[in-house]
Every structure is written in structure tokens, then in C-alpha cells.
Amino acid sequence: MTQAYVLTLSCPDRLGLVHAVSGFLLEHGGNIEEAAQYNDSATGLFFMRVQFGCAQHDHATLSEHMASFAQHHQMHWSLHATAQPMPTVILVSREGHCLNDLLFRWKSGLLPVDIRAIISNHRDFYQLAASYNVPFHHIPVTAATKAQAEARQYEIIQAENAELVVLARYMQVLSNDLCTKLEGRAINIHHSFLPSFKGAKPYYQAHDRGVKLIGATAHYVTADLDEGPIIEQDVTRADHTDTVETLTARGRDTESQVLARAVKWHSEHRLLLNGHKTVIFR
């Protein structure tokens, strides 16, 4: 029976890499369905994503052969079977627009994820979680309990075998320790007003200054607050007729769309890290 796989890899660039990868897949019964590659002349690195079908080997056997092949080419690689959607845990606080959007897209079959748990430092969305039959974990966070709260969060993430953690407007700063544990598998979303309008009510501050562009950034979580590798960004225009309410609504729509695209690309294994940047095979 033919199984679908996605192979992603990066390595020092050299002649014949596309030929070598396609030859390896042919030798092992792989039928390439989609392929994309990128050569970064600034770093001398080669990046590739290949989607293929294979009936000759199972995942474990393919991985074993790939490990030997990759070692020869100094490749960092991963091989994913696409039959199962990506196990995902969502963290949220009191703004639910991104959470609601992700849940709807998931249940509508628009995102290849399996949302296994929602974690929040407030109780606001337990009914929303229940309506989608998703376990809801209320874990309050204070300065005194932050370490214990994060330990419990990570315990849930590990228990659900989450390959992706989404901070869908989770308004708590993660510790360096948790950021390290979630490196490369946690995505955050924030508005585009940083660093100009920090703190509470950024849309009120932006309206007061008469901004003409509002937007959002989705990025991987790192210990450097809001400075992880950027995945996706978008903007929408504003003008003098906008109220705080319309400005906020437009900003929330943009945040939801940007986060959904980032989650989709990650769960389809279209993202590769390139130092402080990302390579995205859309």
C-alpha cells in the first residue's frame, strides 16, 4: 500500500544535490509528487522539501536508509508520514479570536492538525473548547506560581505528544527554559505595533496616534521576546474614519489569518529554519 511522505532537509550546497535526492527516492521506490528547493548564496546552504509516495518501504525502514544517505551529505533532515494530522496544543488567555478561527478551520478540514488540548490562564473559553470536544486545562499563572504552572503546561504538551504548540494570544511571557524545550515547534502571534505601542490596549494607542497601517506577525517562539524567526506577516490599511472598535476588529482579523497561514505551513512541513530566518516552500 502506497504511503505519502514529506522529506525536508538542509545541508551545505554542492553540485548534484537535487539529482542525489531524487535518485535516492527512485532507488527506494519513491514517486515524487511535489518538490521545491532553495540555495542560499549568503550562507552556502541548500534547502529542499519533497512530497512523495512509496509502497516499497514503511516509515521506519525509509528513515533508516535516509539516515545513511544524509550522513554522507551532512544533511539535517526529517521524514514525516502525512496520513496523520499534526498533534497540536493551543495556549490562550482572554482574547479568543485566533483560538476560535483555528478551531473552525480545523473542524472544517482546512488545517492538517489534531487539536488535542487547550491550555489557558483564564476560564473564559472552556465552553468554546467543550463545543469542539477538546479538553480544556485552566492553569492560573502568577509570579509566585509561574514555574509550577509551566511545568504543568509542559506535562500536558508532552502527554499529548504535541508536535506543535500555538500561542493564540497567550498573554504570558514563557520562561527561557520552556522556550528551549519548545524550540522549533511553538508559534506565537502578535500585532504589528511593537515596539512602538507596548503594554495594555495597543489599538487604543495606535488610534490615538492615527496609524495608517496595522498588521500582525507570526513567528517561532524563542527566549528573545517576540524576536524569533518570522514565519508570516500581513497588513491592512486604516484611516481617519476608523474608530478604536473598527481598528481592533480589523487587526484581529489580520492576526487570525496570519496565524492560520503559519500553522498550516508548519503542519504541512513547509517551514525550514535558516539561522534567524525561515525558508517557506508554499
Side-chain angles (χ1 to χ4, degrees), residues 124-154:
D124 299 50
F125 300 115
Y126 78 93
Q127 289 180 318
L128 177 63
S131 72
Y132 282 93
N133 199 30
V134 177
F136 182 86
H137 303 272
H138 175 225
I139 305 176
V141 180
T142 66
T145 65
K146 185 178 181 67
Q148 296 93 324
E150 285 196 344
R152 177 59 183 145
Q153 291 169 351
Y154 188 65

PDB file of all heavy atoms in Angstrom, residues 124-154:
ATOM      1  N   ASP A 124     -12.251  31.645  30.509  1.00  0.00           N
ATOM      2  CA  ASP A 124     -13.182  32.235  29.555  1.00  0.00           C
ATOM      3  C   ASP A 124     -13.647  31.294  28.451  1.00  0.00           C
ATOM      4  O   ASP A 124     -14.798  31.373  28.009  1.00  0.00           O
ATOM      5  CB  ASP A 124     -12.557  33.481  28.915  1.00  0.00           C
ATOM      6  CG  ASP A 124     -12.239  34.559  29.931  1.00  0.00           C
ATOM      7  OD1 ASP A 124     -11.603  34.244  30.961  1.00  0.00           O
ATOM      8  OD2 ASP A 124     -12.609  35.727  29.706  1.00  0.00           O
ATOM      9  N   PHE A 125     -12.785  30.405  27.984  1.00  0.00           N
ATOM     10  CA  PHE A 125     -13.106  29.644  26.769  1.00  0.00           C
ATOM     11  C   PHE A 125     -13.344  28.155  27.013  1.00  0.00           C
ATOM     12  O   PHE A 125     -13.242  27.348  26.088  1.00  0.00           O
ATOM     13  CB  PHE A 125     -11.993  29.844  25.732  1.00  0.00           C
ATOM     14  CG  PHE A 125     -11.814  31.283  25.342  1.00  0.00           C
ATOM     15  CD1 PHE A 125     -10.631  31.950  25.643  1.00  0.00           C
ATOM     16  CD2 PHE A 125     -12.838  31.981  24.729  1.00  0.00           C
ATOM     17  CE1 PHE A 125     -10.483  33.288  25.310  1.00  0.00           C
ATOM     18  CE2 PHE A 125     -12.694  33.324  24.392  1.00  0.00           C
ATOM     19  CZ  PHE A 125     -11.507  33.983  24.682  1.00  0.00           C
ATOM     20  N   TYR A 126     -13.689  27.806  28.241  1.00  0.00           N
ATOM     21  CA  TYR A 126     -13.928  26.385  28.495  1.00  0.00           C
ATOM     22  C   TYR A 126     -15.164  25.893  27.762  1.00  0.00           C
ATOM     23  O   TYR A 126     -15.212  24.735  27.308  1.00  0.00           O
ATOM     24  CB  TYR A 126     -14.031  26.115  30.003  1.00  0.00           C
ATOM     25  CG  TYR A 126     -15.344  26.490  30.640  1.00  0.00           C
ATOM     26  CD1 TYR A 126     -16.376  25.557  30.774  1.00  0.00           C
ATOM     27  CD2 TYR A 126     -15.557  27.784  31.127  1.00  0.00           C
ATOM     28  CE1 TYR A 126     -17.588  25.907  31.361  1.00  0.00           C
ATOM     29  CE2 TYR A 126     -16.756  28.132  31.711  1.00  0.00           C
ATOM     30  CZ  TYR A 126     -17.767  27.197  31.816  1.00  0.00           C
ATOM     31  OH  TYR A 126     -18.960  27.543  32.390  1.00  0.00           O
ATOM     32  N   GLN A 127     -16.177  26.744  27.592  1.00  0.00           N
ATOM     33  CA  GLN A 127     -17.369  26.331  26.856  1.00  0.00           C
ATOM     34  C   GLN A 127     -17.088  26.200  25.365  1.00  0.00           C
ATOM     35  O   GLN A 127     -17.610  25.303  24.700  1.00  0.00           O
ATOM     36  CB  GLN A 127     -18.515  27.316  27.100  1.00  0.00           C
ATOM     37  CG  GLN A 127     -19.085  27.242  28.510  1.00  0.00           C
ATOM     38  CD  GLN A 127     -20.221  28.216  28.721  1.00  0.00           C
ATOM     39  OE1 GLN A 127     -20.145  29.370  28.277  1.00  0.00           O
ATOM     40  NE2 GLN A 127     -21.274  27.776  29.392  1.00  0.00           N
ATOM     41  N   LEU A 128     -16.281  27.108  24.836  1.00  0.00           N
ATOM     42  CA  LEU A 128     -15.885  27.003  23.428  1.00  0.00           C
ATOM     43  C   LEU A 128     -15.128  25.702  23.190  1.00  0.00           C
ATOM     44  O   LEU A 128     -15.382  24.989  22.216  1.00  0.00           O
ATOM     45  CB  LEU A 128     -15.015  28.198  23.033  1.00  0.00           C
ATOM     46  CG  LEU A 128     -14.471  28.193  21.603  1.00  0.00           C
ATOM     47  CD1 LEU A 128     -15.603  28.238  20.588  1.00  0.00           C
ATOM     48  CD2 LEU A 128     -13.513  29.374  21.391  1.00  0.00           C
ATOM     49  N   ALA A 129     -14.195  25.374  24.083  1.00  0.00           N
ATOM     50  CA  ALA A 129     -13.448  24.123  23.967  1.00  0.00           C
ATOM     51  C   ALA A 129     -14.383  22.919  24.017  1.00  0.00           C
ATOM     52  O   ALA A 129     -14.259  21.976  23.220  1.00  0.00           O
ATOM     53  CB  ALA A 129     -12.401  24.028  25.074  1.00  0.00           C
ATOM     54  N   ALA A 130     -15.353  22.953  24.925  1.00  0.00           N
ATOM     55  CA  ALA A 130     -16.303  21.849  25.066  1.00  0.00           C
ATOM     56  C   ALA A 130     -17.147  21.677  23.810  1.00  0.00           C
ATOM     57  O   ALA A 130     -17.480  20.548  23.420  1.00  0.00           O
ATOM     58  CB  ALA A 130     -17.196  22.085  26.275  1.00  0.00           C
ATOM     59  N   SER A 131     -17.490  22.779  23.147  1.00  0.00           N
ATOM     60  CA  SER A 131     -18.304  22.691  21.933  1.00  0.00           C
ATOM     61  C   SER A 131     -17.566  21.994  20.805  1.00  0.00           C
ATOM     62  O   SER A 131     -18.192  21.465  19.883  1.00  0.00           O
ATOM     63  CB  SER A 131     -18.751  24.092  21.496  1.00  0.00           C
ATOM     64  OG  SER A 131     -17.674  24.841  20.960  1.00  0.00           O
ATOM     65  N   TYR A 132     -16.237  21.991  20.872  1.00  0.00           N
ATOM     66  CA  TYR A 132     -15.421  21.279  19.881  1.00  0.00           C
ATOM     67  C   TYR A 132     -14.895  19.954  20.440  1.00  0.00           C
ATOM     68  O   TYR A 132     -14.083  19.285  19.803  1.00  0.00           O
ATOM     69  CB  TYR A 132     -14.250  22.145  19.425  1.00  0.00           C
ATOM     70  CG  TYR A 132     -14.634  23.217  18.426  1.00  0.00           C
ATOM     71  CD1 TYR A 132     -14.979  24.500  18.847  1.00  0.00           C
ATOM     72  CD2 TYR A 132     -14.660  22.951  17.058  1.00  0.00           C
ATOM     73  CE1 TYR A 132     -15.336  25.484  17.932  1.00  0.00           C
ATOM     74  CE2 TYR A 132     -15.002  23.921  16.139  1.00  0.00           C
ATOM     75  CZ  TYR A 132     -15.344  25.181  16.578  1.00  0.00           C
ATOM     76  OH  TYR A 132     -15.701  26.160  15.665  1.00  0.00           O
ATOM     77  N   ASN A 133     -15.330  19.619  21.647  1.00  0.00           N
ATOM     78  CA  ASN A 133     -14.918  18.365  22.294  1.00  0.00           C
ATOM     79  C   ASN A 133     -13.407  18.295  22.489  1.00  0.00           C
ATOM     80  O   ASN A 133     -12.790  17.238  22.295  1.00  0.00           O
ATOM     81  CB  ASN A 133     -15.413  17.153  21.496  1.00  0.00           C
ATOM     82  CG  ASN A 133     -15.423  15.881  22.330  1.00  0.00           C
ATOM     83  OD1 ASN A 133     -15.600  15.924  23.549  1.00  0.00           O
ATOM     84  ND2 ASN A 133     -15.220  14.748  21.685  1.00  0.00           N
ATOM     85  N   VAL A 134     -12.812  19.421  22.882  1.00  0.00           N
ATOM     86  CA  VAL A 134     -11.372  19.499  23.125  1.00  0.00           C
ATOM     87  C   VAL A 134     -11.144  19.685  24.629  1.00  0.00           C
ATOM     88  O   VAL A 134     -11.750  20.576  25.233  1.00  0.00           O
ATOM     89  CB  VAL A 134     -10.729  20.676  22.357  1.00  0.00           C
ATOM     90  CG1 VAL A 134      -9.242  20.783  22.691  1.00  0.00           C
ATOM     91  CG2 VAL A 134     -10.934  20.516  20.858  1.00  0.00           C
ATOM     92  N   PRO A 135     -10.294  18.889  25.251  1.00  0.00           N
ATOM     93  CA  PRO A 135     -10.008  19.069  26.678  1.00  0.00           C
ATOM     94  C   PRO A 135      -9.483  20.471  26.974  1.00  0.00           C
ATOM     95  O   PRO A 135      -8.629  20.990  26.250  1.00  0.00           O
ATOM     96  CB  PRO A 135      -8.938  18.008  26.956  1.00  0.00           C
ATOM     97  CG  PRO A 135      -9.156  16.969  25.899  1.00  0.00           C
ATOM     98  CD  PRO A 135      -9.606  17.713  24.678  1.00  0.00           C
ATOM     99  N   PHE A 136     -10.008  21.068  28.045  1.00  0.00           N
ATOM    100  CA  PHE A 136      -9.631  22.421  28.432  1.00  0.00           C
ATOM    101  C   PHE A 136      -8.943  22.372  29.795  1.00  0.00           C
ATOM    102  O   PHE A 136      -9.479  21.804  30.751  1.00  0.00           O
ATOM    103  CB  PHE A 136     -10.872  23.312  28.508  1.00  0.00           C
ATOM    104  CG  PHE A 136     -10.588  24.743  28.858  1.00  0.00           C
ATOM    105  CD1 PHE A 136     -10.257  25.671  27.886  1.00  0.00           C
ATOM    106  CD2 PHE A 136     -10.662  25.183  30.180  1.00  0.00           C
ATOM    107  CE1 PHE A 136     -10.009  27.000  28.207  1.00  0.00           C
ATOM    108  CE2 PHE A 136     -10.414  26.504  30.517  1.00  0.00           C
ATOM    109  CZ  PHE A 136     -10.086  27.415  29.521  1.00  0.00           C
ATOM    110  N   HIS A 137      -7.761  22.964  29.870  1.00  0.00           N
ATOM    111  CA  HIS A 137      -6.982  22.948  31.111  1.00  0.00           C
ATOM    112  C   HIS A 137      -6.800  24.379  31.603  1.00  0.00           C
ATOM    113  O   HIS A 137      -6.133  25.190  30.954  1.00  0.00           O
ATOM    114  CB  HIS A 137      -5.612  22.306  30.885  1.00  0.00           C
ATOM    115  CG  HIS A 137      -5.672  20.913  30.348  1.00  0.00           C
ATOM    116  ND1 HIS A 137      -5.754  19.799  31.166  1.00  0.00           N
ATOM    117  CD2 HIS A 137      -5.673  20.451  29.069  1.00  0.00           C
ATOM    118  CE1 HIS A 137      -5.780  18.709  30.425  1.00  0.00           C
ATOM    119  NE2 HIS A 137      -5.750  19.071  29.154  1.00  0.00           N
ATOM    120  N   HIS A 138      -7.408  24.690  32.755  1.00  0.00           N
ATOM    121  CA  HIS A 138      -7.255  26.011  33.353  1.00  0.00           C
ATOM    122  C   HIS A 138      -6.059  25.979  34.301  1.00  0.00           C
ATOM    123  O   HIS A 138      -6.089  25.282  35.328  1.00  0.00           O
ATOM    124  CB  HIS A 138      -8.523  26.406  34.112  1.00  0.00           C
ATOM    125  CG  HIS A 138      -8.388  27.703  34.837  1.00  0.00           C
ATOM    126  ND1 HIS A 138      -8.823  27.880  36.140  1.00  0.00           N
ATOM    127  CD2 HIS A 138      -7.838  28.888  34.455  1.00  0.00           C
ATOM    128  CE1 HIS A 138      -8.560  29.115  36.519  1.00  0.00           C
ATOM    129  NE2 HIS A 138      -7.966  29.748  35.515  1.00  0.00           N
ATOM    130  N   ILE A 139      -5.016  26.728  33.960  1.00  0.00           N
ATOM    131  CA  ILE A 139      -3.809  26.772  34.780  1.00  0.00           C
ATOM    132  C   ILE A 139      -3.473  28.236  35.064  1.00  0.00           C
ATOM    133  O   ILE A 139      -2.850  28.919  34.246  1.00  0.00           O
ATOM    134  CB  ILE A 139      -2.615  26.083  34.082  1.00  0.00           C
ATOM    135  CG1 ILE A 139      -2.975  24.650  33.691  1.00  0.00           C
ATOM    136  CG2 ILE A 139      -1.384  26.106  34.974  1.00  0.00           C
ATOM    137  CD1 ILE A 139      -1.893  23.933  32.920  1.00  0.00           C
ATOM    138  N   PRO A 140      -3.927  28.757  36.219  1.00  0.00           N
ATOM    139  CA  PRO A 140      -3.617  30.157  36.562  1.00  0.00           C
ATOM    140  C   PRO A 140      -2.107  30.365  36.669  1.00  0.00           C
ATOM    141  O   PRO A 140      -1.359  29.451  37.046  1.00  0.00           O
ATOM    142  CB  PRO A 140      -4.304  30.342  37.913  1.00  0.00           C
ATOM    143  CG  PRO A 140      -5.313  29.238  38.009  1.00  0.00           C
ATOM    144  CD  PRO A 140      -4.731  28.091  37.249  1.00  0.00           C
ATOM    145  N   VAL A 141      -1.683  31.574  36.334  1.00  0.00           N
ATOM    146  CA  VAL A 141      -0.256  31.896  36.390  1.00  0.00           C
ATOM    147  C   VAL A 141      -0.068  33.193  37.168  1.00  0.00           C
ATOM    148  O   VAL A 141      -0.659  34.220  36.838  1.00  0.00           O
ATOM    149  CB  VAL A 141       0.341  32.058  34.976  1.00  0.00           C
ATOM    150  CG1 VAL A 141       1.830  32.396  35.068  1.00  0.00           C
ATOM    151  CG2 VAL A 141       0.128  30.810  34.144  1.00  0.00           C
ATOM    152  N   THR A 142       0.744  33.128  38.203  1.00  0.00           N
ATOM    153  CA  THR A 142       1.177  34.315  38.926  1.00  0.00           C
ATOM    154  C   THR A 142       2.701  34.288  38.997  1.00  0.00           C
ATOM    155  O   THR A 142       3.331  33.268  38.659  1.00  0.00           O
ATOM    156  CB  THR A 142       0.607  34.357  40.351  1.00  0.00           C
ATOM    157  OG1 THR A 142       1.177  33.267  41.115  1.00  0.00           O
ATOM    158  CG2 THR A 142      -0.915  34.219  40.339  1.00  0.00           C
ATOM    159  N   ALA A 143       3.276  35.381  39.450  1.00  0.00           N
ATOM    160  CA  ALA A 143       4.734  35.414  39.572  1.00  0.00           C
ATOM    161  C   ALA A 143       5.220  34.317  40.508  1.00  0.00           C
ATOM    162  O   ALA A 143       6.270  33.697  40.285  1.00  0.00           O
ATOM    163  CB  ALA A 143       5.181  36.781  40.074  1.00  0.00           C
ATOM    164  N   ALA A 144       4.431  34.053  41.543  1.00  0.00           N
ATOM    165  CA  ALA A 144       4.841  33.052  42.532  1.00  0.00           C
ATOM    166  C   ALA A 144       4.668  31.623  42.023  1.00  0.00           C
ATOM    167  O   ALA A 144       5.379  30.717  42.468  1.00  0.00           O
ATOM    168  CB  ALA A 144       4.047  33.249  43.822  1.00  0.00           C
ATOM    169  N   THR A 145       3.715  31.409  41.106  1.00  0.00           N
ATOM    170  CA  THR A 145       3.410  30.039  40.653  1.00  0.00           C
ATOM    171  C   THR A 145       3.859  29.765  39.222  1.00  0.00           C
ATOM    172  O   THR A 145       3.530  28.726  38.664  1.00  0.00           O
ATOM    173  CB  THR A 145       1.901  29.778  40.750  1.00  0.00           C
ATOM    174  OG1 THR A 145       1.196  30.640  39.826  1.00  0.00           O
ATOM    175  CG2 THR A 145       1.390  30.020  42.157  1.00  0.00           C
ATOM    176  N   LYS A 146       4.578  30.693  38.612  1.00  0.00           N
ATOM    177  CA  LYS A 146       4.923  30.561  37.187  1.00  0.00           C
ATOM    178  C   LYS A 146       5.669  29.266  36.890  1.00  0.00           C
ATOM    179  O   LYS A 146       5.358  28.570  35.923  1.00  0.00           O
ATOM    180  CB  LYS A 146       5.769  31.763  36.748  1.00  0.00           C
ATOM    181  CG  LYS A 146       6.076  31.781  35.246  1.00  0.00           C
ATOM    182  CD  LYS A 146       6.881  33.014  34.882  1.00  0.00           C
ATOM    183  CE  LYS A 146       7.176  33.086  33.403  1.00  0.00           C
ATOM    184  NZ  LYS A 146       5.945  33.298  32.600  1.00  0.00           N
ATOM    185  N   ALA A 147       6.645  28.907  37.691  1.00  0.00           N
ATOM    186  CA  ALA A 147       7.432  27.699  37.450  1.00  0.00           C
ATOM    187  C   ALA A 147       6.555  26.453  37.520  1.00  0.00           C
ATOM    188  O   ALA A 147       6.644  25.561  36.651  1.00  0.00           O
ATOM    189  CB  ALA A 147       8.576  27.598  38.452  1.00  0.00           C
ATOM    190  N   GLN A 148       5.696  26.371  38.532  1.00  0.00           N
ATOM    191  CA  GLN A 148       4.810  25.215  38.666  1.00  0.00           C
ATOM    192  C   GLN A 148       3.789  25.170  37.526  1.00  0.00           C
ATOM    193  O   GLN A 148       3.467  24.092  37.007  1.00  0.00           O
ATOM    194  CB  GLN A 148       4.075  25.263  40.012  1.00  0.00           C
ATOM    195  CG  GLN A 148       5.001  25.148  41.212  1.00  0.00           C
ATOM    196  CD  GLN A 148       5.434  26.499  41.736  1.00  0.00           C
ATOM    197  OE1 GLN A 148       5.649  27.446  40.960  1.00  0.00           O
ATOM    198  NE2 GLN A 148       5.557  26.596  43.062  1.00  0.00           N
ATOM    199  N   ALA A 149       3.285  26.341  37.130  1.00  0.00           N
ATOM    200  CA  ALA A 149       2.312  26.399  36.036  1.00  0.00           C
ATOM    201  C   ALA A 149       2.937  25.931  34.730  1.00  0.00           C
ATOM    202  O   ALA A 149       2.333  25.149  33.982  1.00  0.00           O
ATOM    203  CB  ALA A 149       1.779  27.827  35.884  1.00  0.00           C
ATOM    204  N   GLU A 150       4.149  26.373  34.455  1.00  0.00           N
ATOM    205  CA  GLU A 150       4.803  25.964  33.216  1.00  0.00           C
ATOM    206  C   GLU A 150       5.144  24.472  33.229  1.00  0.00           C
ATOM    207  O   GLU A 150       5.074  23.806  32.193  1.00  0.00           O
ATOM    208  CB  GLU A 150       6.065  26.792  32.984  1.00  0.00           C
ATOM    209  CG  GLU A 150       5.766  28.196  32.520  1.00  0.00           C
ATOM    210  CD  GLU A 150       6.974  28.902  31.932  1.00  0.00           C
ATOM    211  OE1 GLU A 150       8.128  28.423  32.155  1.00  0.00           O
ATOM    212  OE2 GLU A 150       6.779  29.910  31.251  1.00  0.00           O
ATOM    213  N   ALA A 151       5.491  23.969  34.387  1.00  0.00           N
ATOM    214  CA  ALA A 151       5.767  22.535  34.495  1.00  0.00           C
ATOM    215  C   ALA A 151       4.516  21.736  34.156  1.00  0.00           C
ATOM    216  O   ALA A 151       4.595  20.703  33.451  1.00  0.00           O
ATOM    217  CB  ALA A 151       6.256  22.190  35.896  1.00  0.00           C
ATOM    218  N   ARG A 152       3.358  22.191  34.639  1.00  0.00           N
ATOM    219  CA  ARG A 152       2.103  21.519  34.327  1.00  0.00           C
ATOM    220  C   ARG A 152       1.743  21.663  32.844  1.00  0.00           C
ATOM    221  O   ARG A 152       1.292  20.708  32.204  1.00  0.00           O
ATOM    222  CB  ARG A 152       0.983  22.105  35.199  1.00  0.00           C
ATOM    223  CG  ARG A 152      -0.397  21.545  34.911  1.00  0.00           C
ATOM    224  CD  ARG A 152      -0.464  20.040  35.108  1.00  0.00           C
ATOM    225  NE  ARG A 152      -1.783  19.524  34.762  1.00  0.00           N
ATOM    226  CZ  ARG A 152      -2.001  18.344  34.198  1.00  0.00           C
ATOM    227  NH1 ARG A 152      -0.980  17.546  33.901  1.00  0.00           N
ATOM    228  NH2 ARG A 152      -3.225  17.951  33.926  1.00  0.00           N
ATOM    229  N   GLN A 153       1.972  22.842  32.275  1.00  0.00           N
ATOM    230  CA  GLN A 153       1.724  23.048  30.846  1.00  0.00           C
ATOM    231  C   GLN A 153       2.567  22.084  30.007  1.00  0.00           C
ATOM    232  O   GLN A 153       2.059  21.437  29.074  1.00  0.00           O
ATOM    233  CB  GLN A 153       2.049  24.494  30.462  1.00  0.00           C
ATOM    234  CG  GLN A 153       1.090  25.521  31.023  1.00  0.00           C
ATOM    235  CD  GLN A 153       1.599  26.934  30.836  1.00  0.00           C
ATOM    236  OE1 GLN A 153       2.742  27.156  30.435  1.00  0.00           O
ATOM    237  NE2 GLN A 153       0.754  27.910  31.137  1.00  0.00           N
ATOM    238  N   TYR A 154       3.829  22.000  30.345  1.00  0.00           N
ATOM    239  CA  TYR A 154       4.728  21.138  29.574  1.00  0.00           C
ATOM    240  C   TYR A 154       4.360  19.667  29.744  1.00  0.00           C
ATOM    241  O   TYR A 154       4.468  18.876  28.796  1.00  0.00           O
ATOM    242  CB  TYR A 154       6.178  21.376  30.002  1.00  0.00           C
ATOM    243  CG  TYR A 154       7.175  20.665  29.120  1.00  0.00           C
ATOM    244  CD1 TYR A 154       7.325  21.006  27.772  1.00  0.00           C
ATOM    245  CD2 TYR A 154       7.987  19.642  29.628  1.00  0.00           C
ATOM    246  CE1 TYR A 154       8.237  20.357  26.962  1.00  0.00           C
ATOM    247  CE2 TYR A 154       8.893  18.986  28.821  1.00  0.00           C
ATOM    248  CZ  TYR A 154       9.021  19.349  27.494  1.00  0.00           C
ATOM    249  OH  TYR A 154       9.920  18.693  26.692  1.00  0.00           O
TER     250      TYR A 154
END
